[in-house]
Amino acid sequence: MAHTDPRRSIPRTDHLLDLPEVITAGERLSQSTIRAIIVEAQKAARAGEIPVAEVVPTVIEHLSSRSASSLTPVLNATGIIVHTNLGRAPLSEPARRAVASAAGYVDVEMDLETGRRSKRGIGAKQAILRACPGAEDALIVNNGGAALLLAVTALRGDKMSGNDGSAGASDASVAGEIIVSRGELIEIGAGFRLPDLMATTGSRVREVGMTNRTHLDDYAQAITADTASLLKVHTSNFRVEGFTASVEIAQLRELADEHDLPLIADLGSGLFEPDPYLPDEPDIASALAAGADVVIVSGDKLLGGPQAGLILGRSDAVQRIATHPLARAMRTDKLTLAAIEATVANTENPVHEALHIDVDRLKERTERLAARAAGTVVAHDGRVGGGGAPGVPLPGWAVELPEELARPLRLGNPAVVARVHQGRCLIDLRCVPEADDDLVGEAVNRARGNHA
């Protein structure tokens, strides 16, 4: 007797679209989204991943749980503060409120008193300048890479520009050379290489010195009539130790003045002032005081704000960058401007709080979680992450659990992302708001139950 393939009974798309629950979901979800969910359920049934009888319940469940975005909020229990895979810096509550307020119509480019157009991002820029008195002017663009690209493009040596700041006639003068230490030509995540970025400007990268040692004379000997700028880059995601030497910004300032060249400093992580917890991490105030024409940092790292690139420095240099045609293509939106202003203007900052956490209090929280989750308390070093302070441990504690709990924790609600290391699942509460500790405990117990 022949057996009918149950997959022939998979509900048709038109039948599923007529379900009352699907029709109701259409009031908030687009038809393309609904059809995609239906198709996925049908494919899963054809592949034998779910029974045919589960197609309708699966569609209804996915439609009811579908949020406005496919992004899933997570609790960061890795101990890595600026976790790139988890969106880097979490915004503070003031920044979140500012983003929500800016989501509608706002006076991003209007003076409400006169009713006329105004300059974009005035409030955010003023907040930055108040926080960093050493900067004469500031510009916000869409990320750190864009800030560097724009700066090296716009700031060419005066002898390579016309009186109006436009590039000179010679092709060699238009491009020019950017002098940078060989030890500072970094590659960051996803294969992103600094030299490749700068090459897109039409400039040539002139490497000087050695990987471990670069001296002032290396820069001096490399300067020619084609030199466009001097670039100092903080090696944010690695450290070179041992027999090393590098040239400080103050030394490069003297050389730049001698040859009438702009000096650009890319610091990366975004500290406004020195932090005793991170003694080797450069800060904006010190770099400007040492003589950098402009300093470039990211907004979503140690600054604790949204993805953005901040350019701070001398007013003439920043204005030259701001008026370059590329600046329009790299400008930020109203949500970023609102978040930056709120981040800088308010003291609440989850990144700073996680960095300067009370370790004794962290241990108390960890012990309480371990007792509830049947885990073991172990010493655990957190990290800055996002390329900041490479190799610098942040002493703390974690709950050690079996490695097999890591996946159900990630897939739970709420999703808890722990660190998997040497066959263990480690839950570090450094980056978890204390108010969410109970949620983590409940998530662990659910994960144990589901895994049993």
Side-chain angles (χ1 to χ4, degrees), residues 212-431:
N212 61 322
R213 292 176 68 81
T214 301
H215 306 281
L216 183 62
D217 193 51
D218 293 320
Y219 289 89
Q221 291 186 14
I223 294 176
T224 68
D226 288 336
T227 303
S229 60
L230 304 182
L231 176 62
K232 176 72 176 175
V233 181
H234 174 53
T235 52
S236 58
N237 55 358
F238 71 96
R239 292 191 303 176
V240 178
E241 298 179 334
F243 189 56
T244 63
S246 61
V247 183
E248 300 300 321
I249 292 175
Q251 297 173 282
L252 289 176
R253 177 71 267 163
E254 295 181 7
L255 188 62
D257 287 341
E258 181 181 345
H259 295 275
D260 195 20
L261 293 170
L263 173 56
I264 303 166
D266 186 346
L267 305 187
S269 60
L271 282 179
F272 272 116
E273 297 177 340
D275 190 314
Y277 276 63
L278 307 172
D280 296 325
E281 195 72 12
D283 65 281
I284 301 169
S286 298
L288 290 173
D293 290 308
V294 294
V295 173
I296 295 167
V297 299
S298 293
D300 56 352
K301 296 182 180 178
L302 287 173
L303 186 67
Q307 176 180 297
L310 276 60
I311 303 172
L312 303 91
R314 288 187 7 232
S315 58
D316 59 336
V318 174
Q319 279 304 303
R320 192 165 173 178
I321 296 171
T323 55
H324 192 279
L326 275 178
R328 171 76 181 193
M330 298 174 180
R331 75 176 188 176
T332 52
D333 71 335
K334 60 184 180 180
L335 303 182
T336 301
L337 293 172
I340 284 287
E341 181 177 356
T343 298
V344 175
N346 290 273
T347 57
E348 184 179 343
N349 191 309
V351 169
H352 294 181
E353 292 164 6
L355 179 61
H356 302 99
I357 198 168
D358 183 329
V359 179
D360 293 333
R361 180 60 180 165
L362 177 60
K363 187 175 184 182
E364 292 175 8
R365 294 169 57 196
T366 306
E367 289 172 341
R368 189 164 57 245
L369 175 62
R372 179 172 182 176
T376 304
V377 176
V378 295
H380 184 251
D381 290 336
R383 301 287 174 175
V384 170
V392 176
L394 303 175
W397 307 91
V399 176
E400 180 181 321
L401 298 169
E403 180 182 9
E404 55 265 25
L405 294 183
R407 185 173 186 273
L409 280 170
R410 291 195 306 269
L411 298 179
N413 184 19
V416 178
V417 179
R419 183 188 181 201
V420 178
H421 182 63
Q422 295 181 343
R424 304 173 297 166
C425 173
L426 300 171
I427 296 182
D428 188 325
L429 296 175
R430 175 182 294 273
C431 306

Side-chain angles (χ1 to χ4, degrees), residues 16 67 108 110 150 165 208 210 227 258 280 290 366 373 404 416 439:
L16 293 171
S67 63
V108 66
M110 175 176 280
L150 187 55
V208 298
M210 294 289 105
T227 303
E258 181 181 345
D280 296 325
T366 306
E404 55 265 25
V416 178
L439 293 178

Side-chain angles (χ1 to χ4, degrees), residues 55-284:
V55 171
V56 170
T58 297
V59 169
I60 293 173
E61 179 187 355
H62 286 181
L63 288 175
S64 62
S65 61
R66 175 78 182 195
S67 63
S69 167
S70 62
L71 295 176
T72 301
V74 305
L75 292 175
N76 177 12
T78 65
I80 301 172
I81 301 174
V82 183
H83 199 304
T84 298
N85 294 353
L86 300 181
R88 290 189 174 170
L91 294 182
S92 66
E93 281 304 317
R96 295 184 189 200
R97 292 194 298 269
V99 169
S101 297
Y105 293 118
V106 291
D107 58 341
V108 66
E109 287 188 26
M110 175 176 280
D111 182 337
L112 293 180
E113 183 173 344
T114 64
R116 296 180 178 179
R117 186 168 185 167
S118 64
K119 290 187 177 180
R120 190 181 189 88
I122 293 176
K125 183 170 79 169
Q126 290 175 340
I128 291 171
L129 295 179
R130 284 193 294 267
C132 187
E136 296 175 0
D137 203 352
L139 177 66
I140 306 169
V141 295
N142 51 23
N143 61 35
L148 179 58
L149 177 66
L150 187 55
V152 298
T153 302
L155 294 184
R156 306 193 191 277
D158 287 341
K159 60 179 174 290
M160 296 188 178
S161 303
N163 294 331
D164 60 353
S166 60
S170 166
D171 288 342
S173 295
V174 170
E177 291 184 341
I178 303 167
I179 298 180
V180 60
S181 169
R182 181 171 282 108
E184 297 172 4
L185 291 175
I186 61 175
E187 175 181 307
I188 58 176
F192 179 90
R193 293 182 172 182
L194 199 66
D196 295 341
L197 174 72
M198 292 186 288
T200 65
T201 69
S203 298
R204 296 181 296 276
V205 176
R206 178 73 179 272
E207 304 175 24
V208 298
M210 294 289 105
T211 302
N212 61 322
R213 292 176 68 81
T214 301
H215 306 281
L216 183 62
D217 193 51
D218 293 320
Y219 289 89
Q221 291 186 14
I223 294 176
T224 68
D226 288 336
T227 303
S229 60
L230 304 182
L231 176 62
K232 176 72 176 175
V233 181
H234 174 53
T235 52
S236 58
N237 55 358
F238 71 96
R239 292 191 303 176
V240 178
E241 298 179 334
F243 189 56
T244 63
S246 61
V247 183
E248 300 300 321
I249 292 175
Q251 297 173 282
L252 289 176
R253 177 71 267 163
E254 295 181 7
L255 188 62
D257 287 341
E258 181 181 345
H259 295 275
D260 195 20
L261 293 170
L263 173 56
I264 303 166
D266 186 346
L267 305 187
S269 60
L271 282 179
F272 272 116
E273 297 177 340
D275 190 314
Y277 276 63
L278 307 172
D280 296 325
E281 195 72 12
D283 65 281
I284 301 169

